[in-house]
């Protein structure tokens, strides 16, 4: 999908880091223990770290999204799915729910979600509207589930979607690739971390202030 780089103005964009947590990414996490291949998450982390460093340097806000499941939000639909396996992932207060090799800096917003989309019954939209954010730079895991669900929902709420494809990971290359095709075709624009960093550098160099 065609995407005007001016939409990446540091004063109007935010990076959403979705579900980079032990249970989804660590080789000892719940997803790996049930047979999912989590190696892509580890492989993409250097690019994600670079994206976060560049975003912070250029004044682009970073919002961390985390999943936390607990009895109060364990609906029948959630726990029945996959024979209940989804209900044991990222239990609130456990090691599995902690961030994996990246973490928010002091002052960066953290949004806790209980469903695939980070907009469902959370404060995310309020955080973004308060910051006058218009463009969501999507990153995290898994590409085809929570990152894609949040991106789709954000598009429906009239945010521009810049999907950092090389800063996302899924449990298979096929799932990752199909999600990128779908996002690029209908919901936003897929781009690399390098393109984002280059664009932010160019926009700041042209005098667009990162101050809010």
């Amino acid at each position: 999908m065609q995407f005007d780089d001016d939409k990446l103005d540091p004063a109007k964009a935010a990076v959403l880091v979705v579900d980079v947590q032990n249970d989804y990414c660590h080789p000892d996490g719940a997803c790996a223990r049930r047979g999912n291949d989590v190696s892509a998450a580890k492989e993409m982390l250097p690019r994600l770290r670079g994206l976060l460093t560049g975003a912070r340097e250029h004044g682009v806000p970073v919002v961390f999204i985390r999943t936390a499941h607990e009895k109060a939000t364990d609906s029948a639909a959630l726990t029945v799915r996959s024979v209940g396996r989804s209900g044991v992932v990222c239990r609130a207060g456990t090691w599995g729910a902690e961030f994996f090799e990246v973490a928010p800096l002091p002052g960066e917003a953290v949004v806790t979600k209980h469903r695939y989309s980070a907009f469902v019954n959370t404060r995310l939209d309020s955080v973004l509207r308060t910051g006058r954010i218009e463009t969501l730079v999507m990153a995290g895991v898994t590409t085809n589930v929570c990152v894609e669900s949040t991106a789709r929902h954000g598009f429906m709420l009239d945010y521009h979607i810049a999907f950092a494809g090389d800063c996302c990971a899924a449990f298979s290359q096929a799932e990752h690739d199909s999600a990128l095709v779908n996002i690029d075709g209908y919901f936003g624009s897929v781009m690399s971390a390098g393109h984002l960093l280059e664009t932010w550098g160019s926009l700041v160099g042209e005098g667009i202030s990162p101050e809010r």
Side-chain angles (χ1 to χ4, degrees):
M1 183 178 292
Q2 186 175 3
F3 194 91
D4 183 352
D5 282 346
D6 287 344
K7 294 185 179 71
L8 297 174
D9 178 349
K12 298 178 180 179
V15 178
L16 270 56
V17 184
V18 179
D19 289 359
V20 183
Q21 295 166 266
N22 287 328
D23 268 348
Y24 295 123
C25 304
H26 197 287
D28 295 327
C31 289
R33 292 198 307 271
R34 71 188 190 196
N36 295 118
D37 182 359
V38 300
S39 60
K42 181 76 171 180
E43 191 274 333
M44 69 84 175
L45 270 169
R47 294 187 293 273
L48 177 58
R49 291 193 198 97
L51 178 67
L52 297 182
T53 297
R56 289 158 175 159
E57 288 175 349
H58 291 111
V60 179
V62 176
V63 179
F64 275 77
I65 311 295
R66 63 184 175 194
T67 291
H69 292 307
E70 57 185 309
K71 185 176 180 179
T73 57
D74 287 345
S75 69
L78 176 72
T79 55
V80 168
R81 190 188 69 81
S82 300
V83 199
R85 290 182 301 176
S86 61
V88 302
V89 176
C90 290
R91 302 308 292 179
T94 67
W95 169 86
E98 295 175 3
F99 292 116
F100 176 71
E101 298 194 10
V102 291
L105 297 182
E108 291 181 338
V110 177
V111 174
T112 301
K113 67 180 178 67
H114 311 291
R115 296 296 183 266
Y116 291 161
S117 170
F119 286 101
V120 174
N121 298 327
T122 74
R123 67 190 186 114
L124 178 57
D125 192 52
S126 179
V127 168
L128 297 172
R129 302 295 181 190
T130 299
R132 299 182 181 180
I133 301 302
E134 299 176 7
T135 297
L136 309 183
V137 177
M138 303 300 308
V141 297
T142 59
T143 316
N144 58 309
V145 185
C146 292
V147 188
E148 182 177 6
S149 294
T150 301
R152 284 173 172 238
H153 201 155
F155 175 73
M156 300 302 179
L157 294 174
D158 296 323
Y159 292 99
H160 303 294
I161 303 299
F163 207 91
D166 60 352
C167 293
C168 297
F171 297 141
S172 75
Q173 191 65 42
E175 290 172 321
H176 176 78
D177 291 343
S178 65
L180 298 187
V181 169
N182 201 41
I183 288 291
D184 207 48
Y186 302 100
F187 300 102
S189 183
V190 175
M191 58 191 68
S192 68
H195 177 78
L196 288 158
L197 296 172
E198 181 179 352
T199 301
W200 287 331
S202 176
L203 291 172
V204 171
E206 292 172 2
I208 294 178
S209 173
E211 296 180 1
R212 296 176 176 273

